[in-house]
Amino acid sequence: MSTLGITKLTCEYRSEPLGLGTERPRFSWQLTSGRMHVLQSAYHLQVAGEEGDFAGDHLIWDTGVVDSDQSVLVEYAGAALQSGQRCSWRVKVWDQQGQESEWSDTSYFEMGLLRTSDWSADWITPEPGMIDPQAEEEFLLRKAFHVSKDVRKARIYATSLGFYELELNGERVGDWAFTPGWTSYRHRLQVQAYDVTDLIRSRADNAVGAALANGWYKGNLAWENHRNLYGDQRALLLQLHLEYADGSTEIIGSDPSWKASTGPVRMSEIYHGETYDARLEAGGWSQPGFDDADWTGMVKLDHAKDILVMQENEPVRVIQDLKPVTVLRTPEGDTVLDMGQNMVGCMHMRLNLPAGTAITLKHAEVLDSRGNFYTGNLRKAKQSVTYICKGGGEETYEPHFSFQGFRYVKVEGWPDAEPLNPDRFTGRVMHTDMPQTGRFECSHELLNQLQHNIEWGQRGNFLDIPTDCPQRDERLGWTGDAQVFVRTAAFNFGVAPFFSKWLHDLKADQREDGGVPHVIPQVLDDNACSSAAWGDAAVICPWTIYLCYGDKRILEEQYDSMKAWVDHIRAQGDNEYLWNTGFHFGDWLALDAKEGSYVGATPRDLIATCFYAYSTSLFVKTAEVLGRTEDAAAYRQLYEKVAEAFLIEFVTPGGRLAAHTQTAMILPLMFGLVEGEVQRRMAATLAEYVKEQNHHLTTGFVGTPYLCHVLTENGYHDLAVKLAMQEDYPSWLYSVKQGATTIWEHWDGIKPDGSFWSDDMNSYNHYAFGAIGDWLYRAVAGLDLNEAEGPGYKRIRLRPRTDSALSYAKAALDSMYGTIRSEWSLTDVDGDGDSPLASYEFEIPPNTTAEAELPGASIATTQVNGQPADQASGVLSAKEDDAGTLKLELGSGIYRVTVQQPSPALSGA
Ligand code: RAM
């Protein structure tokens, strides 16, 4: 395949999205070529009508040939796009040698409803007095209507207060769960768009039905079991847009002519589960012929429409199924299914039992030390699902409006006479449908399991918003957790739309004084805000998304929010350049905390001032990227003052730090607040601290994510590897050795003696400590980006670090440009164990370049794809530096690199 081709066309990160809310959608594509070193030199992009006809008079936007290497997030700049408009698009490119590709395949995108004035339908809710708005049951709403012509296209736009699920003519509409998703409901409520062309019946009677449940809007939320946090009435807003073959259009909207009843879902709550009585099913309730004479009427609800936004991220849906690995009988006599994986979603059951039989499933993450079913750590969350059979044959069920976090499922009510066949149960794994983009693997099985656990922690907690935990009565969008994990998250999965949506909510919930709530969406007290390392998510998350995807828009959109956060910090201290006031979580759950405290020993003002400096420095970079030179200059000055104040307050001129914890050393090193001799001394002290602990960490949420990075970057990579491979408590692999399949909230969630840390705050699926994943990709496998020269992996940095503790490591990332790979392996050719030879394999996608750094290699001893290093195809330059590192400049292609000289970068060398 030497010809230049185009693949992976996406619009706003998605393939052929429906219901876009942005008026300037962005297009991305990837180049394919069998040649080495391919760069795009120009593109030509065309947008046309939905017919996919690009003849001149059908064109909506034609860029002509644009001399540009941009193939990621090219912004639409044609005539204003209209609500509901469907467009086709295609692109062709030229490489740097002038070779021209064919036109790409045609792709599509479709706009959603863009203006409040597009909404003619009413918010509707059941007539008061007929159905109690506070009833626990689901509400079923329906409307029958006649379609008198041939339908060419049909779309539903829908949203609700509470959760909704839709049916049209008896069929479920879409497979999205927990719609309309969780946003800052007071300011932003998402609308989903569905293509229902295949479900609508032309020249026939039709009916649309909606089930409504409490959901995040008015169900139990936050641990005090609050209800009705956003409002106390469920409601629906829906428009069915019909486009007829004759070109005319019609809208069937929600209005008071709809009818309402309650349904078989008797209770549903996010934390508590669901009760479903199949005997109450009203067969055909969303079919046109259904007799709804005894259903009650509906009324309009006065609720805002100017808060409506089209769905911004990928939906939550069932992503995969797991089967129970075994059925246990516990010492207490419970029958328990073991799913083999701590997962989030729900259980699907297939039953054939007599009418009235009630099967209850209880969900738990762990068994206690005696092997009994343990739910203490769920606190008030019941996680209990009951299905009451209607009888008469096989029935299937899974909850509609509730999700559970669990590995173990206790089955209650199973008839004694009937053997329990585990095959009747399936775990339905649910999360935001973000594409998996990263893979890390190495020669150490426990580290591979750690990577698995990190990925599963992300699956379980990226359920529409980044939650801290998916099982107890909490499941909130803790900003600190999101901030520490965002870079790791962006390796494992494509998270740009996911974080963009959440950041829009952060902006919406940000206080007037710039303060940032601890959780987003904000559902805690107004004053629950602005802790260092938590509120800094306002700056760190958009910056990271920009870095990993090259997405400048998120910086533009969040700019004011980022700035307001930095200004907020500045207004806090009694010294403008220190942050030494206010509430802070500190180094949350660090092991140097006082007995009975969650807050580690690192002084909170030190942490806060470090984050003050860090957020300011990222804001300066943001201003530079966006060309806001005045802000860049002003905040650079601020940064310098903060950095100076930090040194005066916390570091002696000789380089001693005022605080003696690992995290106190980690933050200034990571954020570049110390340099030269002070940096060297601080790193050495940190290394000493780690060694003094017999190679163990003592860090919490704040220090842990950076610990290994700081060691690696300061010449202690072997120590970082040792820490990462530590198996006894406290360490990452300790929980792995204990059988964990996700990351724990506490290092000692289960203690070496088998007892639990506590019932109180003890999640076994909490991704924060999984933030080491970023180091596995970047430092161990060496797959990184060059921030200054090419964010979004336009300019790739490969720094594989061989270490004799491992015989190979490999990472891959499906970037916006295509797959990047960085792999290394060590071969002990002469069998003496101390002079293995290193080989590497790199893959660089077209339209990017990479710089690879190979310590201990030289041009003379290095072969690339069987050629001398400086002569191989695709190698743009090969240079040796004074430190004995070979630096290769690589164009796109696949490179197999062998070094005929023992690597000095090995541990102990
Ligand atoms: C608990 C959780 C969460 C953390 C907050 C401060 O609720 O551990 O992850 O961010 O505390």
Side-chain angles (χ1 to χ4, degrees):
M1 192 183 40
S2 67
T3 49
L4 187 63
I6 299 173
T7 183
K8 297 259 167 62
L9 273 69
T10 55
C11 177
E12 287 302 318
Y13 294 98
R14 279 168 282 171
S15 166
E16 310 205 338
L18 193 70
L20 288 179
T22 168
E23 298 182 41
R24 291 176 295 136
R26 293 163 300 168
F27 306 100
S28 307
W29 56 89
Q30 294 178 10
L31 275 56
T32 58
S33 169
R35 281 198 307 110
M36 309 290 278
H37 185 39
V38 174
L39 293 172
Q40 177 184 300
S41 64
Y43 69 81
H44 183 178
L45 195 154
Q46 292 181 327
V47 175
E50 65 184 306
E51 303 78 21
D53 179 350
F54 294 92
D57 52 348
H58 287 88
L59 286 179
I60 295 171
W61 187 46
D62 188 345
T63 63
V65 179
V66 182
D67 288 335
S68 165
D69 64 353
Q70 190 182 356
S71 56
V72 168
L73 300 171
V74 171
E75 188 171 284
Y76 176 80
L81 295 164
Q82 304 303 316
S83 291
Q85 188 172 355
R86 185 171 177 79
C87 300
S88 53
W89 70 282
R90 63 178 186 171
V91 64
K92 68 158 56 184
V93 299
W94 287 258
D95 69 14
Q96 78 272 34
Q97 296 177 347
Q99 196 192 341
E100 179 178 347
S101 76
E102 298 287 327
W103 283 106
S104 68
D105 289 344
T106 299
S107 192
Y108 294 85
F109 67 94
E110 186 174 311
M111 305 306 290
L113 300 186
L114 301 174
R115 276 162 267 284
T116 312
S117 57
D118 293 324
W119 288 94
S120 51
D122 302 315
W123 278 110
I124 53 170
T125 194
E127 213 173 308
M130 304 304 284
I131 298 178
D132 176 5
Q134 305 314 323
E136 292 198 306
E137 294 96 320
E138 69 178 333
F139 300 167
L140 298 182
L141 318 184
R142 61 172 264 113
K143 167 78 183 171
F145 57 94
H146 185 73
V147 172
S148 53
K149 303 192 213 172
D150 287 328
V151 176
R152 184 164 70 194
K153 185 160 109 184
R155 299 284 184 266
I156 286 181
Y157 303 98
T159 187
S160 58
L161 307 180
F163 287 153
Y164 76 86
E165 242 180 50
L166 294 183
E167 294 189 9
L168 187 61
N169 296 324
E171 301 279 343
R172 170 92 192 260
V173 173
D175 61 354
W176 302 15
F178 314 125
T179 45
W182 194 3
T183 45
S184 164
Y185 288 141
R186 288 180 200 95
H187 310 285
R188 290 165 24 85
L189 177 61
Q190 291 188 130
V191 171
Q192 286 73 40
Y194 304 93
D195 179 353
V196 291
T197 313
D198 292 342
L199 296 180
I200 204 85
R201 296 178 193 145
S202 293
R203 300 181 182 278
D205 289 334
N206 287 264
V208 57
L212 291 186
N214 288 334
W216 289 295
Y217 185 81
K218 72 179 290 298
N220 279 146
L221 209 54
W223 49 87
E224 281 107 358
N225 261 346
H226 291 302
R227 303 181 65 78
N228 295 332
L229 274 169
Y230 294 100
D232 62 3
Q233 304 222 52
R234 294 178 224 170
L236 176 76
L237 179 68
L238 176 147
Q239 281 182 188
L240 166 62
H241 288 221
L242 298 173
E243 197 177 297
Y244 295 117
D246 64 9
S248 60
T249 58
E250 186 178 354
I251 295 177
I252 314 280
S254 48
D255 66 25
S257 71
W258 286 48
K259 302 295 274 301
S261 180
T262 54
V265 174
R266 307 309 292 156
M267 182 285 290
S268 77
E269 286 288 341
I270 292 167
Y271 298 152
H272 300 317
E274 188 162 297
T275 302
Y276 187 98
D277 189 343
R279 296 168 304 182
L280 301 175
E281 283 173 357
W285 70 277
S286 65
Q287 297 273 16
F290 181 80
D291 177 6
D292 58 17
D294 61 348
W295 284 35
T296 86
M298 304 212 50
V299 293
K300 288 187 194 178
L301 184 81
D302 189 17
H303 194 82
K305 291 183 191 159
D306 58 1
I307 54 170
L308 300 176
V309 294
M310 295 306 301
Q311 167 100 14
E312 293 175 331
N313 60 342
E314 298 91 348
V316 176
R317 50 163 68 101
V318 173
I319 306 289
Q320 73 183 90
D321 286 345
L322 296 180
K323 294 303 281 182
V325 291
T326 176
V327 187
L328 308 165
R329 175 65 82 152
T330 69
E332 285 175 352
D334 293 326
T335 303
V336 172
L337 305 171
D338 178 0
M339 302 308 294
Q341 172 64 50
N342 195 347
M343 58 165 279
V344 175
C346 62
M347 290 299 289
H348 178 273
M349 342 184 203
R350 212 160 39 80
L351 305 171
N352 192 342
L353 295 167
T357 312
I359 301 296
T360 295
L361 304 183
K362 301 227 161 107
H363 302 75
E365 290 187 288
V366 290
L367 303 177
D368 70 15
S369 57
R370 294 175 47 236
N372 286 317
F373 193 71
Y374 167 75
T375 55
N377 71 325
L378 305 179
R379 302 193 307 217
K380 293 203 175 88
K382 296 197 183 93
Q383 293 219 115
S384 175
V385 172
T386 298
Y387 180 81
I388 304 166
C389 300
K390 61 183 177 234
E394 182 127 317
E395 316 175 32
T396 58
Y397 166 73
E398 67 192 51
H400 297 251
F401 302 113
S402 181
F403 62 88
Q404 289 74 49
F406 62 100
R407 170 172 171 172
Y408 298 97
V409 183
K410 176 158 101 175
V411 184
E412 292 177 347
W414 197 266
D416 290 340
E418 209 46 47
L420 188 142
N421 177 359
D423 200 41
R424 292 190 166 278
F425 297 88
T426 306
R428 307 278 273 162
V429 178
M430 302 169 91
H431 54 83
T432 293
D433 196 359
M434 48 196 176
Q436 180 149 17
T437 49
R439 295 163 292 282
F440 171 85
E441 190 196 308
C442 67
S443 55
H444 195 271
E445 270 321 303
L446 298 178
L447 281 179
N448 291 340
Q449 181 67 34
L450 177 67
Q451 168 65 18
H452 168 101
N453 295 2
I454 297 169
E455 274 175 39
W456 276 87
Q458 183 166 355
R459 289 196 176 94
N461 283 296
F462 277 44
L463 197 147
D464 209 47
I465 63 156
T467 56
D468 63 326
C469 60
Q471 73 298 82
R472 67 179 179 227
D473 54 350
E474 188 163 344
R475 314 184 192 188
L476 302 178
W478 286 95
T479 45
D481 308 44
Q483 173 273 111
V484 301
F485 191 66
V486 58
R487 188 78 188 256
T488 300
F491 272 110
N492 291 330
F493 293 90
V495 293
F498 177 84
F499 270 101
S500 299
K501 164 191 173 263
W502 184 74
L503 285 165
H504 297 157
D505 290 312
L506 184 150
K507 182 164 74 171
D509 277 339
Q510 194 166 1
R511 289 158 49 117
E512 286 217 335
D513 66 0
V516 174
H518 299 327
V519 300
I520 299 292
Q522 163 68 307
V523 287
L524 305 178
D525 288 349
D526 277 356
N527 292 328
C529 66
S530 304
S531 162
W534 270 250
D536 294 283
V539 174
I540 295 168
C541 292
W543 176 255
T544 307
I545 296 301
Y546 162 72
L547 273 191
C548 299
Y549 301 94
D551 189 331
K552 276 193 193 169
R553 184 177 290 175
I554 193 65
L555 296 182
E556 278 158 13
E557 289 172 338
Q558 299 300 121
Y559 189 80
D560 292 344
S561 155
M562 297 164 91
K563 187 173 176 179
W565 171 245
V566 174
D567 290 346
H568 175 79
I569 304 175
R570 188 175 190 169
Q572 298 312 299
D574 38 28
N575 174 332
E576 189 181 349
Y577 306 118
L578 292 175
W579 190 7
N580 52 14
T581 56
F583 168 82
H584 299 285
F585 290 110
D587 194 16
W588 191 243
L589 308 190
L591 295 167
D592 48 18
K594 285 202 194 105
E595 188 64 29
S597 168
Y598 291 140
V599 182
T602 308
R604 292 189 229 185
D605 56 346
L606 183 148
I607 295 176
T609 303
C610 284
F611 274 90
Y612 182 8
Y614 185 46
S615 278
T616 307
S617 72
L618 296 186
F619 181 68
V620 171
K621 291 187 197 177
T622 301
E624 281 166 355
V625 168
L626 299 182
R628 315 238 187 158
T629 41
E630 270 179 35
D631 274 354
Y635 285 82
R636 193 174 307 110
Q637 255 188 16
L638 173 63
Y639 170 77
E640 279 157 15
K641 292 249 169 58
V642 175
E644 192 186 323
F646 172 80
L647 292 178
I648 294 171
E649 183 76 4
F650 297 105
V651 190
T652 68
R656 268 169 181 266
L657 195 73
H660 306 282
T661 66
Q662 292 180 5
T663 293
M665 311 282 157
I666 291 168
L667 295 183
L669 287 166
M670 187 71 192
F671 298 161
L673 290 168
V674 284
E675 52 188 22
E677 185 51 27
V678 175
Q679 175 183 357
R680 200 200 54 72
R681 184 163 175 193
M682 203 176 275
T685 313
L686 173 63
E688 275 317 305
Y689 281 18
V690 170
K691 287 180 194 155
E692 272 168 23
Q693 298 292 326
N694 202 10
H695 300 104
H696 287 93
L697 48 77
T698 56
T699 50
F701 276 32
V702 167
T704 303
Y706 307 130
L707 171 54
C708 287
H709 275 301
V710 160
L711 291 172
T712 296
E713 288 299 328
N714 287 280
Y716 299 94
H717 183 62
D718 52 346
L719 188 57
V721 172
K722 202 162 197 159
L723 261 182
M725 290 177 62
Q726 191 62 263
E727 295 179 16
D728 58 355
Y729 172 79
S731 66
W732 284 278
L733 298 187
Y734 168 73
S735 64
V736 170
K737 290 275 278 189
Q738 293 277 322
T741 57
T742 38
I743 303 294
W744 296 349
E745 180 172 21
H746 293 265
W747 293 116
D748 53 353
I750 299 175
K751 299 188 177 193
D753 67 3
S755 64
F756 295 132
W757 184 85
S758 147
D759 271 3
D760 175 45
M761 198 186 77
N762 195 10
S763 154
Y764 294 100
N765 194 355
H766 218 85
Y767 52 64
F769 291 147
I772 190 176
D774 164 33
W775 174 82
L776 294 174
Y777 280 99
R778 287 164 70 194
V780 176
L783 197 168
D784 205 349
L785 54 82
N786 180 318
E787 178 181 316
E789 293 176 24
Y793 297 93
K794 178 90 173 96
R795 180 90 173 120
I796 297 160
R797 186 162 192 205
L798 301 167
R799 284 201 294 174
R801 290 182 179 85
T802 55
D803 188 289
S804 58
L806 301 172
S807 63
Y808 75 86
K810 41 176 154 178
L813 174 70
D814 300 331
S815 74
M816 295 296 281
Y817 295 92
T819 301
I820 305 167
R821 276 190 302 125
S822 179
E823 306 181 356
W824 59 260
S825 62
L826 291 176
T827 319
D828 187 8
V829 193
D830 58 10
D832 67 359
D834 61 4
S835 52
L837 301 181
S839 52
Y840 304 87
E841 186 160 323
F842 303 126
E843 182 170 348
I844 319 295
N847 205 22
T848 68
T849 57
E851 53 190 8
E853 292 173 29
L854 309 180
S858 62
I859 295 174
T861 56
T862 304
Q863 295 243 309
V864 177
N865 289 338
Q867 303 289 315
D870 52 352
Q871 289 163 34
S873 168
V875 177
L876 309 178
S877 75
K879 288 193 190 113
E880 294 161 8
D881 73 6
D882 297 344
T885 294
L886 176 62
K887 294 194 168 168
L888 300 176
E889 270 290 318
L890 303 173
S892 62
I894 294 177
Y895 299 88
R896 292 188 185 87
V897 181
T898 50
V899 183
Q900 297 302 322
Q901 170 186 330
S903 171
L906 303 178
S907 284

